[in-house]
Amino acid sequence: RGALPWQGLQAANQKDKYHKICLKKQNIPVRELCKGLPAEFGTLLCYCRNLKFDETPNYNYCRKLLREVFESNNFSLDYVYDWTIKQQEGSSSMASGRSTEVPEDGARGDVPRREAPPPDSSQEAIQ
C-alpha cells in the first residue's frame, strides 16, 4: 500500500503520460489492485467498472458495501481520518511542539469533533 501502480509512469509529454495511466488503470486486474483489502473493495470496484458512462450508480448498494467493511472491523465514526492525522503531523503544530497523538478515547483537541449527521431516508433503507 501507499502507492498506486500507475504512479511514477514516465512519458515524453503529459498527453502520453495520461494515456499510459489510462491504459494501466484499464488493464490492471481488480484482484491485483485490491490485494490485501477486504473483498468489498473489489466488489465495489467491479461494480463501478461495469457501470455505463451515463448510468447512475446505486449509491445505497455502494454505501452498504462500505458500511459492511466499517462494521465488520468495529470502526467508530470519530471523524478522524488517516489524511487528517497526516496533515496535522505535517502542519505547523509540530513546529510549535503541540502533540498530534490521538488519546486513547479518540478525542483530539486540535480537530473539531462533530456529531454524526442524522440518518436520511437513503441510509435507513440499507441499515
Side-chain angles (χ1 to χ4, degrees), residues 6 19-20 24 29 32 40 48 52 54 62 64 66 71-72 83 89 92-93 112 114:
W6 50 85
H19 182 69
K20 283 184 173 184
K24 186 73 171 177
E32 182 182 334
E40 291 86 353
C48 292
K52 293 180 178 62
D54 59 349
C62 296
K64 177 181 167 283
L66 296 173
E71 290 172 355
S72 68
W83 58 86
E89 288 173 353
S92 61
S93 66
R114 294 181 283 166

Side-chain angles (χ1 to χ4, degrees), residues 1 3 6 15 20 29-30 39 46 57-58 64-65 67 89 95 98-99:
R1 293 191 219 200
W6 50 85
K15 182 180 177 184
K20 283 184 173 184
V30 170
C46 286
N58 180 340
K64 177 181 167 283
L65 287 172
R67 185 172 287 117
E89 288 173 353
R98 288 180 32 207
S99 172

Side-chain angles (χ1 to χ4, degrees), residues 63 66-67 69-84 102 105-108 111-120 123 127:
R63 280 192 295 267
L66 296 173
R67 185 172 287 117
V69 173
F70 188 86
E71 290 172 355
S72 68
N73 285 282
N74 296 317
F75 292 130
S76 63
L77 186 59
D78 60 4
Y79 297 97
V80 177
Y81 306 102
D82 291 350
W83 58 86
T84 306
V102 178
D105 66 358
R108 291 177 58 108
V111 176
R113 307 271 302 175
R114 294 181 283 166
E115 294 297 317
D120 63 20
Q123 289 178 327
Q127 290 180 347

